[in-house]
Every structure is written in C-alpha cells, then in structure tokens.
C-alpha cells in the first residue's frame, strides 16, 4: 500500500503511531505470542522479555536525554557571582539543591516513582528560576553596604550645621536636612524589605534541600513496593507556599 502524501509532507497519524517505539515493541510481543505454538513457550517468553526490556531501556534513555536538555537550557541563566553576599550564598545553595535533584532523577530506576521525580524536578526548576529573581531583587533593594549609615551621618552633620547657623543660610540647610531625612526613611524601608527577602530565601533554601532529602530517601527504598511519595509531595507543597509568601513581600 502506498501512503498518500499530505500537504505538510508528514505521514498520517496512524502511520506515525505504527512506527513509534511503543508500537514496535507491542508488535514484537504479538508476534512472539502468535509464534508460541511453533517456536515453543520458552522462546516466546524470551522474546516477550526482550521486548519489555527494550521498552524500559528506551524510557530510561528518553528521560535521561530530556533531563540533560533541560539542564543545558537552564545552566547559563543563573550566575551567583553577579550578586554580592549574602545573596550569592543563597543562590549557590539553590543551585546545589537543583543539581542534586537532577542527579537523583537521572539515577532513579525507571518506573512511576522516577516519573514522579521528573515532575518534581520541573517544579524545582521553576522554583529556582523564581528564587534567582528574588535574590536579584533583594540585592537591588539592599544596594551597596553602608548606604543608610552614610546618609545618617550626612543628616547628622546637616542638623548640626543648621543648629549653628542663623538667617537665610539656616533655611537652606534645613531644606537639605529635610531631603536627607526623606532619603534616609526610604533607604531604611528598602533595607527592611531586603531583610525580609533574605529571610525568605533562607527558608526557601531549606525547602529546596528538604525536597532533595525526601527524594534521596526514595532512592534508598527503590524497588520496595508501595514507595511513599507523600514526603516529597509535602516538601514540594511547602516550597510552593514559601514562594507565595516571598512574592507578597516585594512591592508590585
């Protein structure tokens, strides 16, 4: 039978499905069963096992390739050295946690738990992206070290100068004093918000590391029937809630 060409030069969906790895494996299993009467039950079972093994191997390879592509896609986006401490340390912790979870997802035996970990890794990837945005915002809010103290010293000098001056010169000094006082209030507010962001990032770091620890416990119990995913799920939920709390700190 000759397949009719489509305008987009692609095979029909039925033909594409027939050439998929899953379809090939299932077809091989069907042939093995059909030939059982001629080849013998033992040979049929060997063929069936080979087909199943090929399917599992293909799933593992596909998952590993997807993880590697995802890792390359996110690798260049986050640069801890572009922000000062303590923000750099927070970002490094997040990257270390993400790296560990990626490795666990790669090494986990194929199956439902591995698929769940792959989904968890997607959530962690998104969380680390948002974590990075929070760290940059916190660094921008905090600004250079000692800026509030510097303005406070300038304000003290302006106040002393205004107190020792009379007439029109005193009015000018008082005007400058008001400007410095307003700037100091703004800087202290920014410092307060930056401190809150810093505290949230510390919490988020702990949440990310908690997800990795729960995934590591799953790795230890790999192959045990009824693997408990509740701990990983709970840690992911806590991570999501912490991100929501951190978002509310920053002004729109």
């Amino acid at each position: 039978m000759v397949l009719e060409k489509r305008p987009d030069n692609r095979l029909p969906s039925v033909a594409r499905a027939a050439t998929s790895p899953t379809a090939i494996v299932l077809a091989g299993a069907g042939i093995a069963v059909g030939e059982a009467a001629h080849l013998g039950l033992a040979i049929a079972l060997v063929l069936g096992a080979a087909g199943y093994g090929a399917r599992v191997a293909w799933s593992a390879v596909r998952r590993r390739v997807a993880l590697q592509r995802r890792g390359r896609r996110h690798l260049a986006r986050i640069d801890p050295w572009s922000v000062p401490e303590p923000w750099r340390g927070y970002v490094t912790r997040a990257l270390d946690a993400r790296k560990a979870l990626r490795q666990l997802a790669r090494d986990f035996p194929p199956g439902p738990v591995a698929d769940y970990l792959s989904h968890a890794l997607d959530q962690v990837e998104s969380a680390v992206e948002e974590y990075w945005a929070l760290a940059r915002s916190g660094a921008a809010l905090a600004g250079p070290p000692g800026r509030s103290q510097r303005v406070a010293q300038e304000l003290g000098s302006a106040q002393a100068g205004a107190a020792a001056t009379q007439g029109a010169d005193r009015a000018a000094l008082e005007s400058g004093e008001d400007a410095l006082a307003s700037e100091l209030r703004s800087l202290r507010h920014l410092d307060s918000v930056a401190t809150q962001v810093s505290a949230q990032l510390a919490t988020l770091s702990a949440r990310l590391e908690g997800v990795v620890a729960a995934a590591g416990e799953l790795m230890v119990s790999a192959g045990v029937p009824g693997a408990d995913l509740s701990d990983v799920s709970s840690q992911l939920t806590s991570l999501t809630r912490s991100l929501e709390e951190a978002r509310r700190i920053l002004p729109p």
Side-chain angles (χ1 to χ4, degrees):
M1 181 181 67
V2 179
L3 292 175
E4 181 181 351
K5 287 189 176 181
R6 298 293 181 89
D8 59 358
N9 295 322
R10 293 181 298 179
L11 292 176
S13 59
V14 174
R16 291 198 306 272
T19 59
S20 68
T22 303
I24 293 172
V25 172
L26 292 177
I31 292 172
V33 173
E35 294 295 327
H38 302 288
L39 301 178
L41 180 60
I43 296 178
L45 290 175
V46 169
L47 292 175
Y52 176 77
R55 179 70 182 91
V56 171
W58 169 254
S59 175
V61 170
R62 184 175 58 184
R63 182 163 55 91
R64 182 177 290 272
V65 170
L67 290 168
Q68 289 173 346
R69 287 176 178 173
R70 182 162 45 198
R72 287 194 297 268
R73 186 172 65 247
H74 291 276
L75 184 61
R77 294 185 181 180
I78 300 177
D79 178 17
W81 294 98
S82 64
V83 292
E85 292 290 357
W87 317 101
R88 183 182 304 153
Y90 293 140
V91 176
T92 301
R93 284 181 67 182
L95 292 179
D96 288 344
R98 187 180 71 176
K99 180 180 178 181
L101 188 60
R102 282 177 176 172
Q103 189 62 50
L104 286 171
R106 291 190 188 102
D107 295 343
F108 211 91
V113 178
D115 294 339
Y116 183 85
L117 279 185
S118 180
H119 172 69
L121 181 58
D122 284 335
Q123 292 182 256
V124 169
E125 295 280 8
S126 299
V128 172
E129 293 279 346
E130 195 162 354
Y131 186 105
W132 169 233
L134 286 167
R136 285 185 298 169
S137 297
L141 289 169
R147 62 178 182 178
S148 296
Q149 292 84 344
R150 185 179 65 254
V151 173
Q153 291 174 355
E154 293 176 2
L155 177 59
S157 299
Q159 290 172 335
T165 307
Q166 300 294 329
D169 292 338
R170 179 170 182 173
L173 289 173
E174 287 176 346
S175 177
E177 177 186 334
D178 291 340
L180 287 170
S182 177
E183 181 181 0
L184 182 59
R185 285 192 298 270
S186 297
L187 290 177
R188 283 176 174 169
H189 175 67
L190 292 177
D191 289 343
S192 175
V193 176
T195 299
Q196 294 178 62
V197 173
S198 177
Q200 287 296 324
L201 287 176
T203 300
L204 284 168
S205 297
R207 301 297 189 205
L208 285 167
E209 290 161 353
V211 173
V212 175
E217 292 175 358
L218 278 178
M219 175 65 78
V220 172
S221 62
V224 178
D228 187 8
L229 302 175
S230 60
D231 197 12
V232 177
S233 178
S234 175
Q235 294 290 348
L236 287 171
T237 300
S238 298
L239 176 64
T240 301
R241 289 175 179 170
S242 296
L243 280 172
E244 292 173 353
E245 293 172 3
R247 290 189 202 109
R248 287 195 290 266
I249 293 174
L250 295 176

